[in-house]
């Protein structure tokens, strides 16, 4: 049996926590839980270098646990270019890569992902793009393509990874930052809500995940929503985001108890 834990949207800088104290507490929890793999599903901080520093320190303090991360939109916003996100070589960075779990038929696939405005279908592409590049947080991210083009590139990467897993007869756990299903999104009843939903992910991601045999678990974040596990056919979806304290996202008054309550734990059999 392999034990996996997953978390996203810790937003360490926005939440103004002491990173060294957080690492110390997370190491204690993950060690006591005997976690074999810890998956960080994006949005550690607002600067990629801070995120890398956190991951390096956490991994150094967790010799018995394999640590992997992907980038969320906040991690992408400073200290890294669009091309570097695709080509970065780091032992713990799992974007567009996979790791096969030892002595099992399981494969963990990582993909940063993106959005194509598909969760706001009545919104024009121009309205969504104007919001993204004019007012939304992601305007600070290095980007040469349109959002639909960037999403399509991520979609093709995911498709290739899933087909490779299927051909290798693997059961697959996929970690991707952006939202793949609409189950827990607020309805598009106002223009501000439409604009936000447009930036959250794509229903095409979920459709692809459900089409490829062997996909069993998907962990994601980005939308700070406390939601139960969602089952679509054979695929189990878990939003593992923690979120931002000042927006009342946390289930507890302080960081570590909130992180621990939102931590998703899987036990995968060979």
């Amino acid at each position: 049996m392999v034990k996996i834990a997953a978390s996203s949207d810790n937003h360490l800088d926005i939440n103004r926590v002491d990173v060294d104290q957080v690492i110390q507490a997370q190491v204690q929890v993950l060690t006591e839980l005997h976690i074999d793999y810890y998956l960080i599903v994006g949005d550690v901080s607002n600067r990629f270098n801070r995120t890398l520093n956190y991951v390096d320190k956490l991994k150094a303090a967790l010799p018995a646990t394999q640590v992997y991360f992907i980038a969320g939109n906040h991690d992408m916003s400073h200290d890294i270019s669009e091309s570097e996100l695709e080509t970065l070589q780091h032992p713990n960075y799992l974007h567009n890569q996979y790791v096969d779990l030892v002595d099992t038929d399981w494969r963990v696939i990582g993909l940063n992902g993106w959005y194509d405005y598909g969760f706001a279908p009545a919104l024009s592409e121009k309205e969504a793009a104007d919001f993204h590049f004019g007012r939304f947080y992601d305007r600070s991210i290095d980007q040469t393509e349109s959002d639909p083009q960037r999403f399509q590139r991520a979609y093709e990467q995911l498709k290739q990874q899933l087909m490779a897993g299927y051909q290798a007869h693997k059961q697959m756990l996929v970690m991707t930052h952006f939202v793949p299903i609409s189950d827990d999104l607020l309805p598009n009843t106002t223009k501000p809500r439409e604009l936000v939903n447009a930036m959250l992910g794509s229903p095409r991601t979920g459709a692809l995940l459900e089409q490829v045999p062997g996909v069993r678990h998907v962990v994601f974040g980005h939308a700070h929503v406390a939601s139960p596990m969602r089952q679509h056919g054979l695929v189990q979806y878990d939003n593992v985001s923690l979120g931002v304290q000042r927006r009342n996202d946390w289930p507890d008054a302080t960081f570590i108890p909130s992180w621990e309550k939102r931590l998703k734990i899987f036990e995968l059999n060979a």
Side-chain angles (χ1 to χ4, degrees):
M1 183 186 72
V2 175
K3 205 168 184 182
I4 296 178
S7 180
S8 79
D9 295 80
N10 285 190
H11 292 290
L12 300 178
D13 43 9
I14 296 176
N15 284 319
R16 300 181 179 180
V17 295
D18 184 303
V19 175
D20 290 334
Q21 289 181 5
V22 164
I23 290 172
Q24 183 179 12
Q26 289 179 331
V27 165
Q28 181 177 346
V29 171
L30 295 170
T31 301
E32 289 175 354
L33 290 171
H34 303 288
I35 298 299
D36 298 300
Y37 293 83
Y38 179 47
L39 308 181
I40 303 167
V41 195
D43 279 4
V44 171
S45 74
N46 284 355
R47 305 196 77 96
F48 198 83
N49 287 345
R50 287 179 190 159
T51 295
L52 275 184
N53 185 56
Y54 161 80
V55 171
D56 288 343
K57 285 184 174 181
L58 181 68
K59 177 54 190 151
L62 275 172
T65 301
Q66 298 301 311
V67 177
Y68 294 100
F69 80 102
I70 56 173
N73 56 313
H74 282 256
D75 307 296
M76 298 175 186
S77 64
H78 296 90
D79 303 330
I80 193 159
S81 68
E82 183 178 12
S83 62
E84 287 169 336
L85 281 166
E86 297 298 327
T87 59
L88 176 68
Q89 298 296 309
H90 186 282
N92 307 103
Y93 183 52
L94 206 62
H95 168 60
N96 198 22
Q97 298 186 68
Y98 67 85
V99 58
D100 287 337
L101 307 189
V102 177
D103 297 326
T104 78
D105 63 353
W106 282 92
R107 173 172 292 184
V108 175
I109 295 171
L111 191 86
N112 296 341
W114 202 246
Y115 43 81
D116 65 354
Y117 315 148
F119 287 128
L123 198 67
S124 73
E125 184 172 330
K126 183 181 185 304
E127 285 180 295
D130 286 347
F131 175 65
H132 170 176
F133 295 104
R135 290 184 285 149
F136 194 54
Y137 179 84
D138 294 0
R139 67 187 182 276
S140 60
I141 297 173
D142 179 50
Q143 183 166 329
T144 58
E145 307 162 295
S146 69
D147 289 323
Q149 288 171 329
R150 187 168 186 163
F151 170 80
Q152 187 62 33
R153 174 160 51 85
Y155 180 90
E156 295 299 333
Q157 290 172 333
L158 178 60
K159 184 176 181 180
Q160 186 175 24
Q161 289 287 349
L162 295 181
M163 291 309 299
Y166 168 66
Q167 291 165 2
H169 307 289
K170 297 293 185 180
Q171 297 190 78
M172 289 172 273
L173 188 161
V174 177
M175 56 187 295
T176 186
H177 182 69
F178 295 89
V179 179
I181 55 173
S182 62
D183 297 44
D184 298 294
L185 301 186
L186 294 174
N188 291 311
T189 53
T190 66
K191 183 56 66 69
R193 174 45 52 185
E194 278 190 296
L195 291 167
V196 171
N197 282 351
M199 309 293 128
L200 291 184
S202 173
R204 290 181 61 205
T205 303
L208 176 60
L209 290 163
E210 292 159 33
Q211 287 170 6
V212 179
V215 179
R216 294 292 177 262
H217 296 280
V218 179
V219 289
F220 64 97
H222 193 42
H224 301 171
V225 178
S227 57
M229 182 273 287
R230 300 298 184 184
Q231 189 82 35
H232 288 213
L234 297 176
V235 183
Q236 175 179 317
Y237 292 91
D238 284 283
N239 183 331
V240 295
S241 64
L242 174 57
V244 177
Q245 183 187 35
R246 68 171 183 257
R247 296 178 183 170
N248 298 314
D249 294 333
W250 293 3
D252 200 277
T254 55
F255 181 88
I256 287 297
S258 296
W259 168 80
E260 192 170 358
K261 286 177 181 177
R262 292 281 170 80
L263 193 67
K264 177 64 183 181
I265 297 173
F266 300 88
E267 293 183 352
L268 304 180
N269 295 316

